[in-house]
Amino acid sequence: MTRLLNPVIGLALILPLALSACANLRQAGPSPAPVADAAPYDGPRPPGRPGDMPVAAEATGPLKTGDLGVTIASLGNAAEPGIWLKTPLVQQPGEGRVSYQGRSVTAQLIPIAGPATAGSRASLQLMQQLGAPLTGLPELRVSR
């Protein structure tokens, strides 16, 4: 019986010491710096997403008018209301004309990043008024 008690007594003496050492380890680690003290991030920034508006400095200069070109359009965000065309054919937002197979509609032209040969996104209402297929990729003529 004495043999059985000695390990139990030893364990009872060592266990509290081990637990207090573990508690001290948790407190001894480096504490995270407060957010307010963090330095601002000066690393590289990700490029803008397609559909982002250009920075005001990029959208300067005279407004190009006349025939702006032809673009292949897909259906944009159907939940976004209005008659609009997001296209790389324009550098400044404004009103313009969009034509498809003899039909022409006045629409808000919204610039997006990309080469002029890149595709465009059209609103549901624009596609419907032009009679363009909602699941197709119609070729639209854009002008101001």
mmCIF file of all heavy atoms in Angstrom, residues 39-68:
data_model
loop_
_atom_site.group_PDB
_atom_site.id
_atom_site.type_symbol
_atom_site.label_atom_id
_atom_site.label_comp_id
_atom_site.label_asym_id
_atom_site.label_seq_id
_atom_site.Cartn_x
_atom_site.Cartn_y
_atom_site.Cartn_z
ATOM 1 N N ALA A 39 1.519 49.866 -38.606
ATOM 2 C CA ALA A 39 1.942 50.785 -39.667
ATOM 3 C C ALA A 39 1.068 50.561 -40.898
ATOM 4 O O ALA A 39 0.609 49.452 -41.155
ATOM 5 C CB ALA A 39 3.402 50.523 -40.012
ATOM 6 N N PRO A 40 0.820 51.592 -41.686
ATOM 7 C CA PRO A 40 0.008 51.416 -42.888
ATOM 8 C C PRO A 40 0.729 50.523 -43.895
ATOM 9 O O PRO A 40 1.951 50.526 -43.982
ATOM 10 C CB PRO A 40 -0.162 52.840 -43.430
ATOM 11 C CG PRO A 40 0.926 53.635 -42.801
ATOM 12 C CD PRO A 40 1.257 52.967 -41.503
ATOM 13 N N TYR A 41 -0.043 49.764 -44.652
ATOM 14 C CA TYR A 41 0.502 48.838 -45.638
ATOM 15 C C TYR A 41 0.973 49.617 -46.857
ATOM 16 O O TYR A 41 0.221 50.375 -47.454
ATOM 17 C CB TYR A 41 -0.561 47.819 -46.037
ATOM 18 C CG TYR A 41 -0.095 46.837 -47.073
ATOM 19 C CD1 TYR A 41 0.820 45.857 -46.738
ATOM 20 C CD2 TYR A 41 -0.557 46.898 -48.373
ATOM 21 C CE1 TYR A 41 1.255 44.954 -47.679
ATOM 22 C CE2 TYR A 41 -0.128 45.996 -49.318
ATOM 23 C CZ TYR A 41 0.783 45.022 -48.967
ATOM 24 O OH TYR A 41 1.220 44.123 -49.901
ATOM 25 N N ASP A 42 2.265 49.458 -47.212
ATOM 26 C CA ASP A 42 2.823 50.151 -48.354
ATOM 27 C C ASP A 42 3.216 49.199 -49.473
ATOM 28 O O ASP A 42 3.916 49.583 -50.401
ATOM 29 C CB ASP A 42 4.058 50.955 -47.936
ATOM 30 C CG ASP A 42 3.726 52.407 -47.671
ATOM 31 O OD1 ASP A 42 2.628 52.834 -48.056
ATOM 32 O OD2 ASP A 42 4.566 53.105 -47.092
ATOM 33 N N GLY A 43 2.771 47.962 -49.373
ATOM 34 C CA GLY A 43 3.129 46.961 -50.382
ATOM 35 C C GLY A 43 2.333 47.134 -51.661
ATOM 36 O O GLY A 43 1.556 48.079 -51.821
ATOM 37 N N PRO A 44 2.525 46.227 -52.601
ATOM 38 C CA PRO A 44 1.799 46.327 -53.877
ATOM 39 C C PRO A 44 0.301 46.143 -53.674
ATOM 40 O O PRO A 44 -0.133 45.416 -52.787
ATOM 41 C CB PRO A 44 2.388 45.187 -54.712
ATOM 42 C CG PRO A 44 2.978 44.245 -53.723
ATOM 43 C CD PRO A 44 3.388 45.054 -52.543
ATOM 44 N N ARG A 45 -0.467 46.809 -54.465
ATOM 45 C CA ARG A 45 -1.925 46.734 -54.401
ATOM 46 C C ARG A 45 -2.417 45.850 -55.541
ATOM 47 O O ARG A 45 -1.835 45.845 -56.627
ATOM 48 C CB ARG A 45 -2.539 48.125 -54.546
ATOM 49 C CG ARG A 45 -2.108 49.091 -53.484
ATOM 50 C CD ARG A 45 -2.802 48.796 -52.196
ATOM 51 N NE ARG A 45 -2.388 49.762 -51.186
ATOM 52 C CZ ARG A 45 -2.586 49.577 -49.914
ATOM 53 N NH1 ARG A 45 -3.193 48.513 -49.485
ATOM 54 N NH2 ARG A 45 -2.182 50.469 -49.053
ATOM 55 N N PRO A 46 -3.506 45.119 -55.324
ATOM 56 C CA PRO A 46 -4.053 44.319 -56.417
ATOM 57 C C PRO A 46 -4.650 45.219 -57.493
ATOM 58 O O PRO A 46 -5.094 46.332 -57.194
ATOM 59 C CB PRO A 46 -5.142 43.477 -55.741
ATOM 60 C CG PRO A 46 -5.503 44.251 -54.523
ATOM 61 C CD PRO A 46 -4.257 44.983 -54.100
ATOM 62 N N PRO A 47 -4.649 44.760 -58.740
ATOM 63 C CA PRO A 47 -5.253 45.578 -59.799
ATOM 64 C C PRO A 47 -6.756 45.673 -59.582
ATOM 65 O O PRO A 47 -7.344 44.849 -58.895
ATOM 66 C CB PRO A 47 -4.927 44.810 -61.078
ATOM 67 C CG PRO A 47 -4.720 43.401 -60.619
ATOM 68 C CD PRO A 47 -4.165 43.482 -59.229
ATOM 69 N N GLY A 48 -7.356 46.689 -60.154
ATOM 70 C CA GLY A 48 -8.795 46.863 -60.032
ATOM 71 C C GLY A 48 -9.542 45.708 -60.677
ATOM 72 O O GLY A 48 -9.062 45.057 -61.597
ATOM 73 N N ARG A 49 -10.704 45.431 -60.190
ATOM 74 C CA ARG A 49 -11.528 44.378 -60.763
ATOM 75 C C ARG A 49 -12.214 44.896 -62.010
ATOM 76 O O ARG A 49 -12.494 46.088 -62.123
ATOM 77 C CB ARG A 49 -12.594 43.942 -59.754
ATOM 78 C CG ARG A 49 -12.019 43.372 -58.513
ATOM 79 C CD ARG A 49 -13.092 42.889 -57.597
ATOM 80 N NE ARG A 49 -14.202 43.827 -57.571
ATOM 81 C CZ ARG A 49 -15.183 43.798 -56.703
ATOM 82 N NH1 ARG A 49 -15.205 42.886 -55.791
ATOM 83 N NH2 ARG A 49 -16.145 44.672 -56.732
ATOM 84 N N PRO A 50 -12.501 44.014 -62.940
ATOM 85 C CA PRO A 50 -13.252 44.467 -64.109
ATOM 86 C C PRO A 50 -14.583 45.060 -63.652
ATOM 87 O O PRO A 50 -15.255 44.513 -62.799
ATOM 88 C CB PRO A 50 -13.481 43.193 -64.906
ATOM 89 C CG PRO A 50 -12.392 42.282 -64.471
ATOM 90 C CD PRO A 50 -12.121 42.627 -63.027
ATOM 91 N N GLY A 51 -14.917 46.188 -64.196
ATOM 92 C CA GLY A 51 -16.158 46.857 -63.817
ATOM 93 C C GLY A 51 -15.930 47.997 -62.859
ATOM 94 O O GLY A 51 -16.824 48.803 -62.620
ATOM 95 N N ASP A 52 -14.724 48.076 -62.270
ATOM 96 C CA ASP A 52 -14.425 49.203 -61.386
ATOM 97 C C ASP A 52 -14.347 50.477 -62.208
ATOM 98 O O ASP A 52 -13.877 50.480 -63.335
ATOM 99 C CB ASP A 52 -13.094 48.997 -60.663
ATOM 100 C CG ASP A 52 -13.195 47.968 -59.552
ATOM 101 O OD1 ASP A 52 -14.327 47.571 -59.223
ATOM 102 O OD2 ASP A 52 -12.152 47.580 -59.021
ATOM 103 N N MET A 53 -14.781 51.575 -61.616
ATOM 104 C CA MET A 53 -14.703 52.864 -62.288
ATOM 105 C C MET A 53 -13.251 53.322 -62.296
ATOM 106 O O MET A 53 -12.526 53.104 -61.341
ATOM 107 C CB MET A 53 -15.561 53.898 -61.562
ATOM 108 C CG MET A 53 -17.042 53.617 -61.639
ATOM 109 S SD MET A 53 -17.688 53.753 -63.294
ATOM 110 C CE MET A 53 -17.585 55.492 -63.542
ATOM 111 N N PRO A 54 -12.804 53.973 -63.364
ATOM 112 C CA PRO A 54 -11.434 54.472 -63.371
ATOM 113 C C PRO A 54 -11.277 55.617 -62.384
ATOM 114 O O PRO A 54 -12.239 56.275 -62.018
ATOM 115 C CB PRO A 54 -11.234 54.955 -64.809
ATOM 116 C CG PRO A 54 -12.603 55.222 -65.317
ATOM 117 C CD PRO A 54 -13.521 54.266 -64.597
ATOM 118 N N VAL A 55 -10.059 55.850 -61.960
ATOM 119 C CA VAL A 55 -9.753 56.960 -61.058
ATOM 120 C C VAL A 55 -10.012 58.263 -61.809
ATOM 121 O O VAL A 55 -9.837 58.345 -63.017
ATOM 122 C CB VAL A 55 -8.279 56.867 -60.610
ATOM 123 C CG1 VAL A 55 -7.923 58.013 -59.692
ATOM 124 C CG2 VAL A 55 -8.023 55.542 -59.936
ATOM 125 N N ALA A 56 -10.423 59.305 -61.097
ATOM 126 C CA ALA A 56 -10.787 60.570 -61.733
ATOM 127 C C ALA A 56 -9.670 61.101 -62.621
ATOM 128 O O ALA A 56 -9.921 61.660 -63.676
ATOM 129 C CB ALA A 56 -11.146 61.597 -60.665
ATOM 130 N N ALA A 57 -8.408 60.903 -62.237
ATOM 131 C CA ALA A 57 -7.302 61.404 -63.049
ATOM 132 C C ALA A 57 -7.234 60.689 -64.398
ATOM 133 O O ALA A 57 -6.779 61.242 -65.382
ATOM 134 C CB ALA A 57 -5.991 61.222 -62.296
ATOM 135 N N GLU A 58 -7.684 59.435 -64.442
ATOM 136 C CA GLU A 58 -7.668 58.677 -65.687
ATOM 137 C C GLU A 58 -8.797 59.108 -66.622
ATOM 138 O O GLU A 58 -8.736 58.876 -67.810
ATOM 139 C CB GLU A 58 -7.816 57.182 -65.387
ATOM 140 C CG GLU A 58 -6.658 56.600 -64.605
ATOM 141 C CD GLU A 58 -6.923 55.156 -64.209
ATOM 142 O OE1 GLU A 58 -7.915 54.567 -64.684
ATOM 143 O OE2 GLU A 58 -6.147 54.616 -63.425
ATOM 144 N N ALA A 59 -9.843 59.700 -66.090
ATOM 145 C CA ALA A 59 -11.029 60.029 -66.873
ATOM 146 C C ALA A 59 -11.049 61.500 -67.278
ATOM 147 O O ALA A 59 -12.086 62.124 -67.315
ATOM 148 C CB ALA A 59 -12.271 59.678 -66.074
ATOM 149 N N THR A 60 -9.890 62.056 -67.564
ATOM 150 C CA THR A 60 -9.839 63.448 -67.966
ATOM 151 C C THR A 60 -9.733 63.546 -69.473
ATOM 152 O O THR A 60 -9.446 62.573 -70.157
ATOM 153 C CB THR A 60 -8.638 64.164 -67.326
ATOM 154 O OG1 THR A 60 -7.456 63.496 -67.733
ATOM 155 C CG2 THR A 60 -8.754 64.175 -65.820
ATOM 156 N N GLY A 61 -9.925 64.728 -69.982
ATOM 157 C CA GLY A 61 -9.820 64.931 -71.420
ATOM 158 C C GLY A 61 -11.192 65.110 -72.030
ATOM 159 O O GLY A 61 -12.222 64.945 -71.379
ATOM 160 N N PRO A 62 -11.216 65.445 -73.319
ATOM 161 C CA PRO A 62 -12.498 65.673 -73.979
ATOM 162 C C PRO A 62 -13.289 64.379 -74.128
ATOM 163 O O PRO A 62 -12.720 63.297 -74.250
ATOM 164 C CB PRO A 62 -12.100 66.247 -75.338
ATOM 165 C CG PRO A 62 -10.721 65.750 -75.568
ATOM 166 C CD PRO A 62 -10.092 65.621 -74.212
ATOM 167 N N LEU A 63 -14.585 64.510 -74.105
ATOM 168 C CA LEU A 63 -15.479 63.383 -74.260
ATOM 169 C C LEU A 63 -15.515 62.984 -75.728
ATOM 170 O O LEU A 63 -15.844 63.795 -76.587
ATOM 171 C CB LEU A 63 -16.878 63.784 -73.772
ATOM 172 C CG LEU A 63 -17.906 62.677 -73.651
ATOM 173 C CD1 LEU A 63 -17.475 61.662 -72.610
ATOM 174 C CD2 LEU A 63 -19.250 63.267 -73.257
ATOM 175 N N LYS A 64 -15.131 61.737 -76.017
ATOM 176 C CA LYS A 64 -15.129 61.267 -77.388
ATOM 177 C C LYS A 64 -16.574 61.074 -77.853
ATOM 178 O O LYS A 64 -17.389 60.491 -77.148
ATOM 179 C CB LYS A 64 -14.359 59.949 -77.486
ATOM 180 C CG LYS A 64 -14.198 59.453 -78.902
ATOM 181 C CD LYS A 64 -13.367 58.190 -78.944
ATOM 182 C CE LYS A 64 -13.324 57.680 -80.372
ATOM 183 N NZ LYS A 64 -12.670 56.377 -80.452
ATOM 184 N N THR A 65 -16.895 61.584 -79.039
ATOM 185 C CA THR A 65 -18.245 61.451 -79.581
ATOM 186 C C THR A 65 -18.183 60.757 -80.933
ATOM 187 O O THR A 65 -17.109 60.517 -81.482
ATOM 188 C CB THR A 65 -18.910 62.837 -79.742
ATOM 189 O OG1 THR A 65 -18.096 63.634 -80.590
ATOM 190 C CG2 THR A 65 -19.085 63.520 -78.397
ATOM 191 N N GLY A 66 -19.352 60.467 -81.467
ATOM 192 C CA GLY A 66 -19.429 59.765 -82.736
ATOM 193 C C GLY A 66 -19.459 58.267 -82.518
ATOM 194 O O GLY A 66 -19.776 57.778 -81.440
ATOM 195 N N ASP A 67 -19.099 57.532 -83.548
ATOM 196 C CA ASP A 67 -19.085 56.069 -83.480
ATOM 197 C C ASP A 67 -17.896 55.623 -82.636
ATOM 198 O O ASP A 67 -16.751 55.926 -82.957
ATOM 199 C CB ASP A 67 -18.994 55.487 -84.892
ATOM 200 C CG ASP A 67 -19.093 53.968 -84.892
ATOM 201 O OD1 ASP A 67 -19.753 53.412 -83.997
ATOM 202 O OD2 ASP A 67 -18.504 53.338 -85.792
ATOM 203 N N LEU A 68 -18.162 54.919 -81.543
ATOM 204 C CA LEU A 68 -17.085 54.468 -80.652
ATOM 205 C C LEU A 68 -16.605 53.066 -80.993
ATOM 206 O O LEU A 68 -15.539 52.660 -80.554
ATOM 207 C CB LEU A 68 -17.558 54.527 -79.192
ATOM 208 C CG LEU A 68 -18.003 55.901 -78.701
ATOM 209 C CD1 LEU A 68 -18.511 55.812 -77.269
ATOM 210 C CD2 LEU A 68 -16.872 56.903 -78.808
#
